[in-house]
Amino acid sequence: MKARTTLYDLLGLTPEASEADIHAAHVRLFNHYKSGTHGLQPMDAENQIKVIKEAYWILSDPGRRDAYDASLAAPVPPASDLPPVTGSVPLKVEIADVKWTPGRIMLSIIGGLMIIGMSIQIFFSVFAFKQAGRVASGEAAAEAQERVMAAEKRQMYGTLDDKEIAAQEAREAEERAESRRRAEEQRLEYARKEEERKREWALREREQYADRVSSDLERAEQSARQKAEWEKRQKEEAARRADMEEERRIQERVARERMRWQQELQR
């Protein structure tokens, strides 16, 4: 009779294994089949990994593990004494008359009851396993989530122990903090440069405005000087014309007086 292969056998453990043993075996087998040194075909290795993950999923949760252990406790129906049926062995059926003696009848009844009892026990074991999976909530669900996270952490960090994992996580946290600090420094430096650029732009704008105002004042002063000079020249020209006009009138008056005196003398 062939021994029954259990999930504990798949992980190389005994039913008395602790949760830490289950985690360690899962990580060890996962890394083994992922490393490529197992000598199996890629498809076979992937199938082994799936089987290991399924076994770990059941055994890592207390509710699922209890239901599975209960199913292991159920008696296994006896194997048939007939040889296994394969494609290369023909099936021979011999029909003979069966003599039903009281002992044979009693054994048949007992065997039927045992089969019915084992079927009922297997049904309730499967039902309890599914029910445990359904009702896992609250703290049980949180613990299962923590175990899944721990398993993922062990898959991520490989064979590192908890102390090394904590040290690596601390280094990663420091690196993230340092990255955030550098990003904040870059942001502050950019903000400082942007503020300086705005101040320089405002100063340049004020300087350009002052230059425009100064240029406008110079043009206004120059225009005022030119206007004053023009008005001065106009006044000087008007005064010169007035002087010339006065001199002309004086000369005309002198000429008239001279002519009058000449006429007086001729008489």
Side-chain angles (χ1 to χ4, degrees), residues 47-140:
N47 291 333
Q48 288 293 332
I49 291 175
K50 292 179 181 178
V51 171
I52 292 168
K53 287 184 176 180
E54 183 69 19
Y56 174 75
W57 183 82
I58 294 175
L59 298 180
S60 62
D61 181 76
R64 292 193 289 266
R65 183 178 180 182
D66 292 341
Y68 177 73
D69 291 341
S71 67
L72 291 180
V76 181
S80 176
D81 294 331
L82 295 175
V85 178
T86 62
S88 60
V89 180
L91 177 65
K92 296 180 179 180
V93 181
E94 181 179 358
I95 302 175
D97 295 335
V98 179
K99 296 180 179 181
W100 292 96
T101 62
R104 184 183 295 275
I105 293 173
M106 182 63 67
L107 290 175
S108 299
I109 293 172
I110 293 172
L113 293 175
M114 289 179 63
I115 292 173
I116 293 172
M118 285 186 293
S119 300
I120 294 174
Q121 189 170 5
I122 292 173
F123 170 77
F124 280 108
S125 298
V126 174
F127 177 78
F129 172 74
K130 293 182 177 180
Q131 190 68 16
R134 292 192 193 98
V135 302
S137 61
E139 294 182 358

